[in-house]
């Protein structure tokens, strides 16, 4: 009986290990920050902008953090295939693609429900090292674009705040979805897709969520960030 219990326990522990090692992207955290058009000295802790800064100078920063597993980094293996030699390297995620969809509160309601606009964007990274650490991505919507989307009912400029945004982030590589994350809307994917159905056809703006490489932050404090492709591959296409 004791032997059977140990056998079951060993089976469970083995399954958990395989499952964990197969999960390349985990613990996705998303935050929305309103920042000035000049990069902050400490981009990881972007502070609220002074009220003196005009609404059209305030950018939306979509801050995305995620975890990758720690790889054992086995010795490279050189293999011969029909199409030639292939060098097998472990411990990296190549061509990591990140698709972002942002719902923006337009300032109007219909039947008591918020009318959202939709902004989309994407970025891609050459390679991400599986070092067991947290990695950071930043995407942006310029203030002048937000001004086009979000107005007050009397037609004036509406000062956007954090709660005006809901975000969906999708990670993929090699045509395979790796993870999803949601922020700013209770109910996750289901509620996000319900809100999408309320977006008017003329309020869909593809390519308006800019990768960091296409903003004033492109060359600012890059040491801790993965290398982004520039320009982003197929930028402007929505899923």
């Amino acid at each position: 009986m004791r032997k059977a219990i140990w056998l079951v326990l060993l089976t469970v522990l083995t399954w958990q290990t395989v499952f964990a090692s197969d999960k390349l992207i985990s613990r996705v955290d998303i935050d929305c920050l309103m920042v000035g058009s000049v990069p902050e000295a400490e981009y990881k802790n972007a502070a609220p902008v002074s009220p003196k800064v005009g609404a059209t100078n305030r950018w939306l920063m979509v801050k995305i953090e995620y975890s990758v597993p720690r790889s054992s980094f086995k010795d490279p293996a050189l293999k011969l295939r029909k199409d030639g030699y292939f060098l097998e390297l472990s411990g990296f995620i190549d061509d990591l693609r990140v698709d972002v969809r942002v719902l923006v509160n337009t300032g109007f309601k219909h039947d008591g429900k918020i009318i959202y606009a939709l902004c989309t964007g994407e970025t891609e990274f050459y390679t991400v090292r599986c070092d067991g650490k947290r990695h950071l991505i930043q995407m942006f919507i310029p203030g002048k674009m937000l001004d086009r989307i979000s107005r007050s009912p009397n037609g004036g400029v509406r000062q956007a705040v954090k709660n005006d945004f809901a975000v969906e982030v999708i990670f993929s590589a090699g045509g395979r979805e790796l993870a999803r994350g949601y922020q700013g809307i209770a109910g996750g994917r289901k509620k996000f897709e319900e809100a999408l159905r309320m977006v008017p056809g003329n309020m869909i703006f593809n390519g308006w969520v800019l990768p960091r490489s296409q903003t004033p932050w492109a060359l600012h404090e890059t040491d801790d960030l993965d290398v982004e492709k520039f320009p982003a591959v197929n930028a402007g296409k929505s899923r």
Side-chain angles (χ1 to χ4, degrees):
M1 180 67 179
R2 181 178 298 176
K3 184 177 180 180
I5 293 173
W6 276 109
L7 182 60
V8 170
L9 180 59
L10 179 62
T11 302
V12 171
L13 290 176
T14 304
W15 177 82
Q16 287 179 333
T17 302
V18 172
F19 178 81
S21 64
D22 188 52
K23 199 170 184 62
L24 295 178
I25 303 292
S26 63
R27 292 179 56 210
V28 178
D29 292 320
I30 306 166
D31 198 6
C32 291
L33 302 165
M34 298 305 298
V35 297
S37 57
V38 178
E40 298 286 339
E42 293 292 335
Y43 63 83
K44 290 182 180 178
N45 298 297
V49 176
S50 164
K52 295 180 181 178
V53 177
T56 57
N57 291 332
R58 292 165 58 92
W59 293 47
L60 170 68
M61 175 197 289
V62 180
K63 178 182 172 185
I64 306 159
E65 292 185 89
Y66 65 97
S67 297
V68 294
R70 181 179 294 279
S71 173
S72 59
F73 296 102
K74 299 176 182 178
D75 293 335
L78 188 63
K79 297 182 178 181
L80 180 62
R81 305 191 308 191
K82 291 182 180 180
D83 56 349
Y85 283 102
F86 176 74
L87 184 62
E88 188 176 77
L89 295 171
S90 65
F92 295 88
I93 306 172
D94 291 334
D95 302 319
L96 177 65
R97 172 173 164 153
V98 182
D99 288 88
V100 178
R101 296 197 291 185
V102 180
L103 291 171
V104 183
N105 184 351
T106 62
F108 295 91
K109 291 185 177 182
H110 177 69
D111 290 338
K113 295 183 178 180
I114 296 173
I115 301 298
Y116 288 100
L118 172 66
C119 295
T120 73
E122 66 184 56
T123 189
E124 193 167 341
F125 297 89
Y126 288 103
T127 191
V128 174
R129 184 183 178 95
C130 293
D131 52 10
K133 297 180 180 179
R134 298 286 283 169
H135 289 246
L136 172 69
I137 300 170
Q138 292 171 331
M139 304 283 283
F140 296 85
I141 302 178
K144 289 181 173 61
M145 293 179 175
L146 290 176
D147 183 45
R148 161 68 178 85
I149 297 169
S150 187
R151 310 294 295 181
S152 65
N154 62 9
V157 175
R158 183 172 179 274
Q159 191 86 324
V161 296
K162 180 176 178 177
N163 293 337
D164 285 332
F165 306 101
V167 183
E168 175 190 67
V169 177
I170 301 175
F171 293 83
S172 61
R176 180 167 68 100
E177 183 177 313
L178 301 179
R180 286 178 181 243
Y182 293 87
Q183 186 273 340
I185 192 163
R189 182 175 182 176
K190 180 180 178 181
K191 292 298 183 181
F192 190 91
E193 291 179 350
E194 286 180 7
L196 281 178
R197 290 194 284 270
M198 293 292 294
V199 175
N202 66 334
M203 295 299 283
I204 299 174
F205 304 97
N206 292 325
W208 279 33
V209 184
L210 303 181
R212 195 176 196 269
S213 59
Q214 296 180 20
T215 73
W217 286 263
L219 301 177
H220 185 70
E221 297 189 358
T222 59
D223 290 348
D224 295 330
L225 300 171
D226 295 300
V227 181
E228 198 172 50
K229 292 186 177 181
F230 181 80
V233 178
N234 298 324
K237 292 184 179 180
S238 60
R239 295 183 74 87

